[in-house]
Amino acid sequence: MDDGNGPPGTRSAWRFGVPVVCVAAGLLLGVTHGVADGDEIRRSDAPRLVDLVREAQQSVDRLTAERDAMVGAVDNHHGGSPSADAALAVITRRVDELAVQADLTPMRGPGLVVTLNDAQRDAEGRFPRDASPDDLVVHQQDIQAVLNALWSAGAEGIQMQDQRIIGISAPRCVGNTLLLNGRTYSPPYVITAIGNPEAMQAALSASPMVTLYKRYAARFGLSYTEEPRDVELARYQQPVRMEYAQPIGPLGY
């Protein structure tokens, strides 16, 4: 009997086919909507990126202006104006004057060279029989006596070996060598001073400690010489760390 709805196989095909077609159509619509939405998001981002670039440029311009203002202020403070240039010139001249007084510049002029040396063996290779080891070497007090005498005579500058002597210099004996500003030296010890040669020689002759050394030199073969001549002194090259000082005597001895 036929009810007008077609064969049973046809009804079954439509029953399952229609839902599949609907699901497929829904998926296509969803994908289409997602793609459209993505396009809309990307298009809407473009104005935002332009705004970010514009804000960044404004920030760079602002910071550049601040930097230029600071550079101008520094230039005005350190010589960017006539008044600052004049002040800097005064400070520079003062520094140069103090550098001379602090022995931080080389010197040249008339002076005196004093040389002390340990005793030497005689022709037979022997020292005096009654000499002790201490009698045969130059000691720290001998060097200090010479330095004190030269300063007291008005020496303008003094150098020992290759180093300039200043108020904080302290020659120290270490065994049979001398320690000065972290460096060690062996005899002969050469002390060079700029000043009045006659006044410095007179001060050396009047020094009791220098006179005692000369006696030891004559007795045990130590060496002592004085040579007036034009001399040149190196500048003091070590760091100057003294903050303040109070004089208590020649070189503080």
Side-chain angles (χ1 to χ4, degrees):
M1 177 178 176
D2 186 1
D3 58 2
N5 293 331
T10 303
R11 290 196 299 271
S12 299
W14 280 104
R15 181 183 304 168
F16 295 102
V18 171
V20 171
V21 172
C22 291
V23 170
L27 291 174
L28 288 174
L29 290 173
V31 170
T32 303
H33 179 72
V35 171
D37 288 347
D39 289 340
E40 291 175 2
I41 292 173
R42 287 194 291 271
R43 286 195 300 270
S44 64
D45 280 347
R48 177 57 181 164
L49 291 175
V50 172
D51 292 340
L52 291 175
V53 171
R54 185 180 297 111
E55 292 175 2
Q57 184 61 52
Q58 292 173 353
S59 177
V60 170
D61 293 341
R62 184 180 67 258
L63 294 175
T64 301
E66 293 177 2
R67 180 205 62 188
D68 294 341
M70 291 179 180
V71 170
V74 171
D75 290 341
N76 292 332
H77 184 70
H78 294 286
S81 64
S83 60
D85 290 339
L88 182 60
V90 172
I91 294 174
T92 302
R93 286 195 299 270
R94 182 56 177 163
V95 168
D96 293 338
E97 294 172 357
L98 293 176
V100 174
Q101 299 176 16
D103 299 323
L104 301 181
T105 58
M107 292 183 65
R108 184 180 183 87
L112 184 68
V113 179
V114 180
T115 304
L116 301 87
N117 199 2
D118 292 346
Q120 306 298 310
R121 299 178 185 272
D122 59 19
E124 298 180 357
R126 296 177 301 183
F127 292 114
R129 293 182 178 180
D130 58 342
S132 67
D134 286 344
D135 296 331
L136 304 174
V137 297
V138 179
H139 291 280
Q140 176 180 328
Q141 62 265 26
D142 303 323
I143 296 172
Q144 292 175 347
V146 173
L147 294 175
N148 286 343
L150 295 174
W151 286 124
S152 67
E156 301 174 21
I158 299 178
Q159 176 176 311
M160 183 169 182
Q161 307 298 81
D162 59 348
Q163 293 199 59
R164 190 75 168 266
I165 300 293
I166 66 173
I168 59 176
S169 300
R172 303 296 184 195
C173 281
V174 180
N176 60 345
T177 62
L178 184 77
L179 178 65
L180 178 61
N181 296 329
R183 297 171 59 185
T184 57
Y185 298 92
S186 299
Y189 301 120
V190 181
I191 301 173
T192 306
I194 288 181
N196 186 313
E198 292 79 10
M200 290 189 289
Q201 286 183 303
L204 290 168
S205 298
S207 170
M209 293 297 296
V210 175
T211 300
L212 179 62
Y213 175 84
K214 292 179 180 179
R215 293 175 181 172
Y216 271 77
R219 176 67 182 84
F220 299 110
L222 296 165
S223 174
Y224 178 87
T225 62
E226 297 175 4
E227 180 185 1
R229 60 182 175 88
D230 287 341
V231 297
E232 185 173 357
L233 306 183
R235 68 180 183 88
Y236 183 77
Q237 298 181 350
Q238 300 294 324
V240 180
R241 299 174 181 171
M242 181 175 61
E243 297 181 0
Y244 60 89
Q246 180 178 354
I248 58 175
L251 282 185
Y253 303 131

